[in-house]
């Protein structure tokens, strides 16, 4: 079973990268913090890591905190990260379990402003 592509994935720079992260559910401040992690890595790596964590059912804040505590996840090859996330899903870690830990599962996300913030 394949993992669906997350919205906002794709090569972006600067403002576009922040907009992609906001489209994934990160606030402007969270996007700014995420962009500051491993600045030498390309945007695809940050977005792919964040997307896999969100697909596991973590909230944007929980995903960001995990990436801040474990920046090695950002350096992990995207395919390997996807495989590990799939293994966690097979073991039962999904949105249902993460929802009990504060994920925003089931709650509508606030509308995002189309403007581009200064990051």
């Amino acid at each position: 079973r394949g993992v669906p592509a997350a919205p906002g994935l794709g090569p972006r720079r600067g403002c576009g990268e922040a907009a992609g992260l906001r489209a994934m559910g990160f606030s402007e401040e969270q996007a700014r913090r995420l962009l500051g992690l491993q600045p030498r890595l390309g945007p695809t790596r940050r977005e792919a890591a964040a997307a896999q964590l969100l697909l596991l059912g973590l909230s944007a804040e929980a995903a960001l905190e995990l990436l801040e505590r474990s920046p090695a996840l950002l350096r992990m090859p995207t395919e390997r990260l996807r495989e590990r996330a799939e293994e966690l899903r097979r073991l039962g870690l999904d949105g249902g379990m993460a929802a009990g830990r504060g994920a925003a599962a089931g709650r509508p996300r606030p509308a995002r402003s189309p403007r581009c913030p200064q990051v």
Side-chain angles (χ1 to χ4, degrees):
R1 182 177 89 149
V3 176
L9 277 179
R12 293 193 173 91
R13 299 232 186 260
C15 184
E17 185 180 354
L21 292 169
R22 287 194 331 272
M24 293 169 67
F26 291 93
S27 69
E28 289 181 26
E29 176 59 28
Q30 290 168 333
R32 192 176 356 267
R33 286 169 50 199
L34 188 51
L35 289 172
L37 296 176
Q38 304 288 318
R40 292 179 187 226
L41 290 178
T44 304
R45 283 274 180 91
R46 278 189 292 272
E47 287 188 15
Q52 289 303 316
L53 295 173
L54 294 174
L55 288 170
L56 283 172
L58 296 177
S59 68
E61 183 63 27
L64 176 60
E65 288 175 6
L66 181 59
L67 291 170
E68 287 174 331
R69 282 193 315 258
S70 303
L73 289 171
L74 294 169
R75 293 185 304 273
M76 185 179 292
T78 303
E79 186 56 35
R80 186 167 175 214
L81 184 60
R82 189 176 300 123
E83 289 169 0
R84 286 186 166 200
E86 183 60 35
E87 181 64 23
L88 289 172
R89 278 189 282 284
R90 264 194 301 276
L91 294 172
L93 179 65
D94 58 17
M97 280 184 67
R101 295 188 182 114
R107 286 187 281 171
R109 290 190 177 145
R112 300 285 181 204
S113 169
R115 67 182 180 81
C116 182
Q118 296 301 318
V119 177

